[in-house]
């Protein structure tokens, strides 16, 4: 087990190393941050001075090495735009992103469970189709549009919920729902196919023969087994939630990582771009790793397959 | 039903020149925000009304189906070709090849697709081709993962071993034996992804990195109309409806294909 | 295995702690803005700075009234006077003004602040011209500062006032010397009526009132919070729910909000929206005056004002025409200066210039702060030019990308646009020196020796009437040579909550005069 965890850990680190080069290059391809910092009247000399002051005049290889070196100690440098340590910016934003993702995850699970189970039990009927359509709807509309319509109706007109910004639990509802609904379809599919498989199995048939009440067969025996793939993919969905929240964060003025990345790209803030991408990637890696652990624990065969 | 919807839009895309009642890029500012025909201020000249520059919405949606469908299909084809290639090679050769390719796949998958597209957009400017490339560059990794998984299972089966013993070349085994057996998965995944790509393109438009104006793409139409949800609802509603129908149709088609072709496939 | 479980446990518990609820009640003022510009709270080293929140934290050497007149009541200086040769400007400072640290602001702080503002690392808009102009800063007494210039000049008080950029903001010398620049930017200390509380970059800036301040008396609001809310629908929903008191709104939404009886405050002619082309002009169709005129005649300005800007804009006819300065310099836009909408004559002019079948024209399309209609505007302009036979190609970029191309002269002849913030006559001169003076790096479109000569004369002039005459001539020539395509003056709407009361957002660039709103002196 320890060896399995260690191997997976090393593999994740390798992926992160590749990513660090890619993002270093990509960030610098976006242009020149100085055009946003210096005034219109700045001379060539001003540009040269500023470049030197910000350390952007050094050779790329040197910049990369110092970036990696310091990143390993948790220091991502200073934001060019905000003049604050990048680590501090990330620390401000990351919890907000994680909380929103957790809320959205809960929403999507709450929707996916009944839909998935109903669809499986009544496979091929109108209920199945209706459940599928409801689930897929969330994925069939651009999230920004869903968000805007929700804000206009629920916050602006009915005034039931906050329109934006982060605050109490109520402020999570609209962004959480918008984001959560987007991934319901995938999760519901998993549950449905898992349930179908299990409902067909000897194990459930045996339970039925033994005279266990049908509701109990479905909701306890079958569901328990159909959960395993959901747990596996929960990790992937969690990472999708963290990484695709940028649009939802923009509409709801949510101070999360996605928004930070967007601003960093618009202002060519290299250190922040690098740090956000690597942080998200690290989260994805950690979540996947934990999920693999769980999965390997439940089903030992997996350790050798992967 | 999904097929019928897709059929209608593909038809619209193919014959946009004949179907569209007006030039989708012709602007008449004085007629901006004309409501649809059933509104008392509407007219038959603009059945679904006009947008903020007075362009005919129906024509833009019809032309938009060409742009959005092409973007969706092209991206997915590109991604599946690359992804399947990587997946097949990695699965077949295993060992170091597999390790390297899968680490690259991991790295790609952990790069948020929208961020990459944004970076590309500010670097080289947003354009149809760049949007397609930006999404495909991320999307291939998913195909690679799934296909590799399938190939690993297939490699253990007798017919591959037999082909090897019979002296078949690697290329032959990959193309003649492995690829056909992963086709079902590819078809299902591809169908499901077309809708996803159309939605991602729309999100990119919202962030200013989508298919640029004046080309009528559904995503940018909704994005442009979003500030007028209360004052001129039709500007974002109709392209929204078009996206909804098409993406829903592709998703349901994909689900149906999976149920028929490969019921055990669940990793999508 | 334990490692795994611990990891998951930590993840979950981390994610599930919801942040505490933020209560909103009056005595607090909340302002939602679609854009924050730079968020570094250092007036001098922070990049291009808007003054919305800065002018609450800091005092200027010279104050201004909300309509942009220099004022002896709202700045650190209670009076100022030039020497006879206009090369020595003496400022007399208000006594007893205290920084938020409790220290008194003296001439030493003023000297130090000004030196920092015109220093090499300064990123403010006018550091360059001031650096060239100022020879020395003397502090004969704690309440007196003398600024010595190399040339006779009139511009010093205005350049160091609240009406232009941030050079005139007075900073605490001792505090910054003790903490360093970075620490100061993260926890700025000034002498203004509000002190810094907290900042979450990209989200909000929170300020708290001092007990009492000479500028405004006992502040009406205990706190003022600026929130960054990029999406329009969200800002309006926040206003409707009473979560914000002031917000910028799109011109399209004004009527709807007025129907719901939200007060709308306009900053009239806040900016001139003007289109220009990247130099050099040589080898470009725009080298021909007739082509430049044709491009102007092809545009229906009142239609653009009525449609794209929902009626909250007025046609503009003079390139770079900053209209807030017109009264001061005595410039009038006569009827014959107004461009009619005349596509037929535009076509004729193109044909005469040898472009009967048009020419390809690159038009960049981007959004700008204060111009959410940016892309629609670019599309509309391209549409008009298409109608006279020009073949416009829209190139969507973001503004930083365009600015780089423009500065590097990488796309000669390509078109861009900007909503230039309106300003008074000295501000206008400063702007022309940047944008219309060939030697300036930022100059574009103009490149005209006659105009260069006039601008150089303004630099050395200390007679206000003569400066007025020179600037009038500059504008007349800008118009007669068609240097650029001025389109409209934009009126910018700001919606307020129904309980906010009277507020004059003023006519000073990048400032809202929220301190006036918070004043108990009125």
């Amino acid at each position: 087990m320890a060896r399995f965890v260690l191997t997976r850990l090393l593999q994740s680190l390798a992926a992160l190393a590749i990513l660090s080069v890619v993002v270093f290059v990509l960030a610098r391809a976006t242009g020149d941050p100085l055009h946003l910092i210096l005034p219109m009247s700045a001379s060539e000399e001003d540009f040269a001075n500023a470049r030197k002051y910000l350390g952007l005049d050094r050779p790329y290889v040197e910049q990369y090495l110092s970036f990696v070196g310091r990143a390993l100690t948790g220091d991502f440098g200073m934001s060019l735009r905000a003049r604050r340590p990048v680590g501090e910016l990330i620390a401000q934003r990351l919890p907000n992103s994680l909380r929103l993702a957790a809320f959205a995850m809960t929403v999507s699970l709450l929707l996916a469970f009944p839909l998935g189970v109903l669809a499986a039990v009544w496979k091929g009927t109108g209920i199945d189709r209706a459940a599928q359509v409801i689930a897929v709807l969330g994925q069939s509309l651009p999230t920004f549009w869903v968000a805007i319509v929700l804000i206009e109706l629920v916050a602006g007109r009915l005034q039931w919920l906050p329109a934006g910004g982060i605050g109490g639990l109520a402020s999570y509802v609209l962004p959480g729902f918008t984001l959560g609904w987007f991934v319901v379809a995938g999760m519901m599919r998993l549950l449905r196919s898992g349930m179908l498989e299990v409902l067909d199995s000897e194990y459930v048939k045996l339970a039925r023969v033994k005279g266990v009440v049908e509701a109990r067969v479905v909701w306890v025996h079958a569901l328990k087994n159909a959960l395993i793939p959901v747990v596996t993919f929960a990790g992937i969905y969690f990472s999708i939630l963290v990484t695709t929240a940028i649009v939802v964060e923009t509409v709801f003025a949510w101070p999360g990582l996605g928004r930070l990345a967007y601003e960093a790209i618009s202002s060519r803030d290299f250190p922040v771009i690098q740090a956000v991408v690597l942080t998200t990637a690290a989260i994805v890696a950690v979540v996947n790793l934990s999920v693999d652990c769980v999965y390997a624990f439940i089903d030992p065969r997996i350790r050798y397959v992967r | 039903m999904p097929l019928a919807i897709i059929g209608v839009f593909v038809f619209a895309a193919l014959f946009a020149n004949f179907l569209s009642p007006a030039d989708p890029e012709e602007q008449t500012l004085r007629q901006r925000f004309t409501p649809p025909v059933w509104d008392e201020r509407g007219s038959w000249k603009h059945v679904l009304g006009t947008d903020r520059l007075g362009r005919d919405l129906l024509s833009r949606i019809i032309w938009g189906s060409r742009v959005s469908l092409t973007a969706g299909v092209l991206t997915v084809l590109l991604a599946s070709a690359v992804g399947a290639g990587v997946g097949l090679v990695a699965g077949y050769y295993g060992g170091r090849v597999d390790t390297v390719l899968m680490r690259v796949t991991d790295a790609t998958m952990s790069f948020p697709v929208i961020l990459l597209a944004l970076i590309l957009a500010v670097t080289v400017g947003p354009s149809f081709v760049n949007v397609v490339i930006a999404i495909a560059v991320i999307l291939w990794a998913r195909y690679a993962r799934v296909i590799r998984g399938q190939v690993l299972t297939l490699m253990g089966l007798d017919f591959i071993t037999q082909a090897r013993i019979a002296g078949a070349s690697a290329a032959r085994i990959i193309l003649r034996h492995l690829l056909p057996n992963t086709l079902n998965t590819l078809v299902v995944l591809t169908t499901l992804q077309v809708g996803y790509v159309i939605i991602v393109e729309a999100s990119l438009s919202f962030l200013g990195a989508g298919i640029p104006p004046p080309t009528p793409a559904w995503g940018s139409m909704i994005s442009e109309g979003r500030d007028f949800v209360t004052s001129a609802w039709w500007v974002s509603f109709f392209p929204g409806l078009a996206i909804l129908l098409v993406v829903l149709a592709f998703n349901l088609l994909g689900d149906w294909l999976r149920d028929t072709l490969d019921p055990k496939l669940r990793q999508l | 295995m334990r490692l795994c479980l611990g990891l998951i446990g930590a993840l979950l518990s981390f994610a599930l702690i919801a942040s505490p609820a933020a209560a909103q009640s009056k005595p607090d003022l909340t302002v939602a803005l679609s854009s924050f510009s730079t968020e570094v709270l250092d007036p001098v080293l922070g990049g291009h700075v808007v003054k919305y929140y800065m002018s609450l934290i800091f005092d200027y050497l010279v104050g201004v009234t909300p309509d942009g007149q220099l004022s002896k009541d709202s700045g650190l200086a209670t009076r100022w006077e030039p020497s006879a040769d206009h090369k020595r400007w003496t400022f007399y400072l208000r006594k007893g003004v205290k920084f938020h640290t409790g220290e008194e602001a003296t001439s030493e702080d003023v000297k130090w602040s000004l030196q920092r503002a015109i220093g090499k690392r300064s990123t403010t808009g006018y550091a360059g011209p001031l650096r060239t102009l100022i020879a020395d800063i003397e502090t004969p007494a704690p309440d007196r500062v003398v600024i010595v210039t190399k040339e006779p000049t009139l511009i010093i008080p205005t350049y160091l006032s609240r009406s232009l950029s941030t050079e005139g903001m007075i900073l605490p010398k001792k505090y910054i010397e003790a903490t360093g620049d970075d620490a100061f930017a993260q926890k700025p200390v000034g002498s203004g009526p509000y002190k810094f509380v907290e900042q979450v970059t990209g989200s909000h800036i929170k300020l708290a009132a001092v007990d009492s301040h000479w500028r405004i008396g006992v502040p009406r609001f205990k706190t003022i919070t600026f929130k960054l809310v990029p999406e329009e629908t969200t800002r309006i929903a926040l206003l409707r729910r009473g979560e914000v008191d002031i917000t910028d709104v799109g011109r399209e939404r004004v009527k709807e909000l007025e129907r719901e009886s939200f007060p709308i405050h306009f900053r009239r002619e806040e900016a001139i929206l003007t289109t220009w082309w990247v130099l050099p002009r040589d080898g470009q169709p725009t080298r021909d005056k007739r082509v430049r005129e044709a491009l102007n005649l092809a545009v229906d300005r009142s239609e653009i004002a009525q449609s794209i800007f929902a009626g909250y804009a007025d046609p503009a006819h003079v390139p770079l025409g900053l209209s807030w300065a017109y009264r001061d310099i005595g410039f009038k836009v006569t009827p014959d200066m107004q461009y009619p909408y005349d596509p037929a004559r535009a076509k004729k002019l193109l044909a005469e210039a040898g472009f009967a079948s048009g020419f390809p024209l690159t038009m960049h399309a981007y959004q700008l702060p204060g111009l959410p209609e940016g892309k629609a505007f670019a599309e509309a302009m391209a549409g008009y030019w298409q109608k006279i036979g020009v073949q416009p190609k829209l190139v969507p970029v973001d503004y930083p990308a365009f600015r780089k191309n423009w500065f590097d002269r990488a796309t000669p002849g390509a078109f861009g646009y900007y909503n230039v913030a309106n300003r008074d006559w000295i501000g206008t001169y400063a702007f022309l020196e940047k944008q219309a003076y060939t030697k300036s790096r930022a100059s574009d479109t103009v490149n005209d020796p006659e105009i260069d000569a006039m601008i150089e004369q303004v630099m050395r002039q200390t007679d206000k009437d003569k400066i007025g005459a020179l600037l009038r001539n500059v504008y007349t020539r800008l118009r007669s040579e068609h240097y650029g395509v001025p389109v409209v003056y934009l009126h910018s709407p700001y919606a307020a909550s129904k309980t906010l009361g009277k507020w004059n957002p003023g006519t000073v660039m990048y400032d809202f005069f929220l301190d006036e709103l918070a004043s108990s002196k009125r």
Side-chain angles (χ1 to χ4, degrees):
Chain A
M1 187 71 203
R3 193 162 156 235
F4 167 75
V5 175
L6 206 67
T7 320
R8 294 284 295 128
L9 200 66
L10 284 178
Q11 288 175 349
S12 309
L13 285 178
L16 280 178
I18 298 174
L19 197 64
S20 73
V21 180
V22 174
V23 71
F24 179 86
V25 174
L26 276 178
R28 270 152 192 80
T30 55
D32 189 349
L34 295 180
H35 277 281
L36 288 150
I37 297 171
L38 295 179
M40 292 268 205
S41 50
S43 65
E44 286 297 340
E45 191 197 343
D46 295 339
F47 270 78
N49 280 341
R51 207 162 267 129
K52 196 163 172 201
Y53 175 66
L54 295 169
L56 296 172
D57 61 333
R58 293 177 297 161
Y60 284 145
V61 178
E62 198 187 316
Q63 285 187 47
Y64 175 76
L65 290 178
S66 96
F67 150 61
V68 171
R70 284 188 305 166
L72 286 177
T73 66
D75 173 13
F76 285 101
M78 290 285 270
S79 156
L80 302 179
R81 174 174 170 278
R83 226 24 95 84
R84 274 165 190 269
V86 177
E88 185 192 315
L89 296 181
I90 303 257
Q92 276 176 344
R93 304 300 191 98
L94 185 60
N96 297 338
S97 277
L98 291 179
R99 284 188 199 115
L100 181 60
F103 192 92
M105 190 80 177
T106 317
V107 170
S108 66
L109 283 173
L110 286 178
L111 285 171
F113 266 91
L115 289 175
V117 172
L118 286 177
V121 173
W122 276 280
K123 182 182 184 251
T125 66
I127 294 180
D128 181 14
R129 274 189 292 276
Q132 289 199 35
V133 169
I134 293 175
V136 166
L137 261 182
Q139 213 174 47
S140 308
L141 283 168
T143 44
F144 71 87
W145 200 48
V146 175
I148 284 170
V149 172
L150 282 178
I151 290 177
E152 189 66 45
L153 292 179
V154 183
R157 299 284 156 194
L158 301 171
Q159 312 219 334
W160 287 346
L161 292 166
I166 186 167
L169 205 59
S171 71
Y172 284 72
V173 177
L174 290 184
F177 178 77
T178 313
L179 200 54
W181 199 22
F182 189 70
V183 293
V184 167
M187 232 175 279
M188 180 266 194
R189 267 184 209 129
L190 282 174
L191 266 167
R192 180 173 172 274
S193 55
M195 283 294 283
L196 284 177
E197 212 174 292
V198 179
L199 283 174
D200 227 25
S201 68
E202 296 300 318
Y203 164 71
V204 165
K205 280 179 191 152
L206 190 70
R208 283 199 180 118
V209 171
K210 275 187 170 173
V212 178
V213 188
E214 184 64 20
R216 203 179 148 74
V217 172
V218 171
W219 290 101
V220 178
H221 293 264
L223 190 58
K224 212 164 70 189
N225 283 282
L227 263 180
I228 296 173
V230 177
V231 170
T232 329
F233 279 84
I236 290 182
Y237 284 115
F238 190 80
S239 49
I240 291 179
L241 287 172
V242 174
T243 55
T244 60
I246 173 167
V247 169
V248 174
E249 285 177 10
T250 303
V251 180
F252 287 98
W254 193 268
L257 272 190
R259 187 71 208 146
L260 182 66
Y262 179 64
E263 281 158 10
I265 292 173
S266 329
S267 53
R268 322 298 196 249
D269 198 340
F270 309 149
V272 179
I273 301 179
Q274 292 160 356
V276 173
V277 171
L278 287 178
T279 310
T280 5
I283 294 174
V284 174
V286 170
V287 170
N288 282 339
L289 190 62
S290 338
V291 167
D292 281 351
C293 288
V294 176
Y295 207 47
F297 186 63
I298 298 172
D299 184 357
R301 280 171 305 171
I302 211 77
R303 287 178 215 168
Y304 308 104
V305 175
R306 291 223 179 182
Chain B
M1 186 61 189
L3 270 181
I5 297 176
I6 295 173
V8 167
F9 280 102
V10 168
F11 183 78
L14 287 176
F15 301 104
N17 340 23
F18 306 108
L19 290 172
S20 145
D23 178 350
E25 295 179 20
E26 167 83 27
Q27 64 186 45
T28 327
L29 285 179
R30 299 222 184 268
Q31 283 168 18
R32 72 200 301 252
F33 296 137
T34 309
V37 63
W38 53 86
D39 188 286
E40 55 189 22
R41 290 168 299 145
S43 85
W44 278 105
K45 212 175 140 210
H46 303 291
V47 179
L48 297 184
T50 60
D51 68 2
R52 61 178 177 168
L53 293 177
R55 297 173 296 200
D56 185 47
L57 264 185
L58 178 60
S59 307
R60 286 182 72 73
I61 289 175
I62 292 174
W63 280 94
S65 59
R66 177 180 283 188
V67 176
S68 296
L69 285 179
T70 318
V73 171
L74 213 61
T75 311
V76 166
L77 287 182
L78 200 66
S80 63
V82 175
V86 170
L88 287 167
V89 169
Y92 177 81
Y93 287 103
R96 272 212 192 130
V97 177
D98 183 37
T99 311
V100 169
L101 285 177
M102 281 304 110
R103 291 305 72 79
V104 175
T105 311
D106 285 350
T108 314
M109 277 187 102
S110 53
F111 206 126
V113 56
I114 294 195
L115 288 190
L116 182 81
L118 271 174
I119 291 177
L120 282 187
V122 302
T123 309
V124 281
S127 74
F128 180 87
V129 176
N130 291 344
V131 168
V132 167
I133 291 176
I135 306 179
V137 158
I138 295 288
L139 221 54
W140 67 266
R142 219 181 237 198
Y143 290 83
R145 266 269 177 85
V146 174
I147 298 301
R148 170 186 170 266
Q150 286 222 324
V151 172
L152 284 184
T153 333
L154 290 170
M155 292 297 285
L157 298 181
D158 286 346
F159 75 103
I160 300 293
T161 324
Q162 277 164 13
R164 269 195 176 158
I165 292 168
S169 69
R172 190 180 160 85
I173 294 180
I174 289 177
L175 290 177
R176 296 293 294 272
H177 298 288
L178 293 176
L179 182 61
N181 279 294
T182 56
L183 265 186
N184 282 347
T185 314
L186 268 180
V187 168
V188 174
L189 193 53
T190 306
T191 316
L192 287 172
Q193 295 280 8
V194 172
Y196 179 70
V197 170
I198 294 179
I199 292 293
V200 170
E201 191 277 317
S203 303
L204 288 177
S205 296
F206 169 76
L207 297 170
I211 296 168
T215 313
W218 293 339
S220 58
M221 292 168 73
I222 307 180
S223 173
E224 283 168 20
R226 72 179 192 272
D227 284 341
F228 317 115
V229 176
T230 46
S231 54
W233 55 271
W234 55 90
V235 181
S236 58
F237 177 80
F238 291 116
L241 190 65
I243 281 206
L244 175 72
L245 288 174
V246 166
V247 177
L248 199 61
F250 271 108
N251 273 317
L252 293 177
L253 183 68
D255 279 343
W256 176 79
L257 279 173
R258 193 196 43 203
D259 276 359
T260 14
L261 293 177
D262 193 354
K264 288 216 175 118
L265 193 68
R266 58 158 80 115
Q267 317 193 353
L268 315 173
Chain C
M1 194 59 222
R2 277 222 187 115
L3 184 84
C4 291
L5 288 179
L7 208 62
I8 297 159
L11 260 182
L12 285 180
S13 52
F14 190 42
L16 291 176
I17 312 160
S19 57
Q24 283 289 333
S25 62
K26 285 305 132 181
D28 297 319
L29 182 76
T30 307
V31 182
L33 296 174
S34 54
S35 155
F36 261 9
S37 180
T38 316
E39 288 172 69
V40 183
L41 295 176
D42 183 323
V44 166
L45 303 181
H48 177 68
V49 175
V50 295
K51 297 181 286 187
Y52 311 128
Y53 28 86
M54 303 294 271
S55 55
L56 294 168
I57 306 176
F58 300 100
D59 283 319
Y60 271 94
L61 177 61
V62 177
V64 291
T65 59
D67 62 350
Q69 302 300 313
L70 301 191
S71 153
K72 294 176 166 120
D73 303 321
S74 56
L76 205 56
T78 50
R79 67 192 172 93
W80 53 90
E81 63 203 12
S83 61
D85 64 354
H86 284 90
K87 285 170 86 171
R88 288 177 68 86
W89 284 83
T90 308
F91 293 84
Y92 299 88
L93 305 183
R94 195 176 299 275
K95 283 184 189 148
V97 173
K98 290 210 165 85
F99 288 113
H100 304 144
T101 49
E103 307 229 18
E104 196 167 324
T106 66
S107 56
E108 278 304 315
D109 295 296
V110 174
K111 178 181 174 179
W112 189 83
S113 300
L114 296 184
Q115 279 174 337
R116 190 169 182 265
I118 64 176
K120 284 252 159 167
R121 284 173 57 212
S122 170
T123 59
T124 61
Y126 305 102
L130 282 172
R131 197 184 307 151
T132 346
L133 189 62
I134 293 179
D136 195 14
I137 300 170
E138 298 167 4
T139 52
D143 64 344
R144 218 166 351 126
V145 178
V146 180
I147 296 174
V148 186
T149 60
K150 292 171 195 157
E151 306 262 354
T153 182
L154 274 187
I155 66 168
I156 290 294
T158 306
Y159 269 54
L160 299 180
S161 80
R162 189 172 171 176
S163 73
L164 272 186
S165 187
T166 52
E167 290 86 353
M169 283 183 174
I170 304 308
L171 318 177
K173 177 185 174 194
K174 275 190 194 147
Y175 176 79
I176 301 178
E177 280 181 341
T179 60
D181 291 333
D182 285 334
F184 171 69
Q186 288 164 31
K187 203 178 177 311
V189 166
S191 56
Y194 281 82
K195 48 189 177 190
F196 172 81
V197 177
E198 65 165 356
Q199 173 188 35
V200 176
T201 315
S203 174
H204 68 264
I205 293 167
K206 191 174 177 184
L207 311 176
V210 300
D211 296 337
S212 176
H213 193 270
W214 58 270
R215 253 156 74 185
I216 62 168
V218 177
R220 207 177 127 202
F221 308 106
K222 284 227 159 55
T223 68
I224 297 184
T225 307
F226 294 86
K227 283 188 178 171
L228 177 62
V229 184
E231 192 62 24
E232 167 117 316
T233 308
T234 315
R235 287 197 308 278
I236 289 178
L238 286 168
L239 179 74
R240 286 196 180 121
R241 272 179 52 86
E243 290 177 59
V244 309
D245 304 290
I246 294 174
T247 177
D248 57 322
V249 291
R251 294 167 187 92
E252 283 289 343
R253 303 293 290 261
V254 168
K255 296 223 164 65
E256 176 190 337
L257 288 167
E258 276 177 342
R259 271 198 302 277
E260 295 170 34
S261 57
F262 284 102
I264 308 286
H265 300 272
F266 277 97
R267 295 203 356 123
R268 289 193 63 82
E269 305 198 356
E270 179 163 52
I272 178 174
L273 178 55
T274 180
T275 306
W276 79 96
W277 44 87
V278 177
L279 292 174
R281 216 159 38 225
D282 298 332
Q284 299 296 330
T286 43
R287 196 173 55 111
D288 193 308
K289 192 174 158 183
R290 288 166 298 191
V291 172
R292 303 200 293 263
E293 185 174 4
L295 291 173
N296 268 297
L297 293 172
V299 178
D300 189 341
R301 291 169 168 78
S302 58
E303 189 177 72
I304 287 189
Q306 285 309 312
S307 54
I308 291 183
F309 299 106
Y312 301 108
D314 283 313
H317 300 285
V318 179
L320 310 180
L322 295 171
S323 55
W324 290 350
Y326 287 177
R327 193 189 50 195
D328 292 324
I329 62 171
F331 182 73
K332 257 205 144 86
V333 180
T334 52
D336 63 295
M337 285 187 188
Q338 290 173 12
Y339 287 108
Y341 173 52
D342 194 346
R345 211 174 108 222
K347 266 190 196 169
K348 216 176 117 225
L349 282 168
L350 279 189
E352 284 171 20
F355 296 102
S357 50
F359 56 89
L361 179 155
T362 302
M363 176 78 177
H364 290 93
Y366 42 85
Q367 314 282 87
L368 288 162
L371 191 69
E373 302 92 344
K375 282 188 179 166
F377 166 75
E379 280 184 71
M381 292 297 280
Y384 283 121
W385 287 331
Q386 199 156 22
K387 283 180 186 162
I388 59 162
V390 174
Q391 298 104 39
K393 181 173 172 268
L394 277 182
V395 178
V397 285
D398 65 348
Y399 178 67
F402 170 67
R403 197 183 135 165
K404 185 166 181 348
N405 280 342
W406 159 30
F407 270 48
D408 296 347
R409 304 276 192 262
T411 49
F415 276 60
Y417 47 90
Y418 200 82
N419 47 342
V420 183
N422 219 333
R423 51 201 93 181
D424 74 345
W425 66 282
I426 288 195
T428 296
Y429 157 69
F431 173 75
L432 291 173
E433 194 203 324
K434 269 201 300 196
Q435 231 67 23
Y437 184 49
T438 307
K439 282 185 195 153
S440 152
R441 187 181 158 99
S443 86
D444 233 310
T445 300
V446 181
N447 192 15
D448 180 308
E450 266 187 51
I451 290 180
D452 287 345
M454 289 190 272
I455 289 178
E456 273 164 24
Q457 284 181 53
V458 179
M459 287 180 199
R460 289 186 290 269
Q461 193 50 254
T462 52
D463 181 338
K464 200 189 155 199
D465 292 335
K466 284 185 186 149
I467 293 181
L470 283 165
L471 288 180
R472 284 201 297 278
N473 291 342
V474 170
Y475 271 129
T476 309
R477 184 158 174 88
L478 280 170
R479 169 61 183 79
S480 65
E481 288 292 317
H482 319 287
Y483 285 137
V485 182
V487 186
V488 287
Y489 290 106
L490 298 170
H491 312 317
S492 304
Y494 295 85
S497 66
K498 292 168 190 168
T499 52
L500 186 70
K502 212 170 135 265
W503 169 48
N504 173 14
T507 53
V508 169
M509 69 172 189
Y510 307 135
D511 207 336
F512 287 155
F513 285 87
L514 291 175
D515 45 340
E516 297 271 318
L517 180 66
S519 172
S520 59
K521 275 183 163 179
R522 305 183 297 172

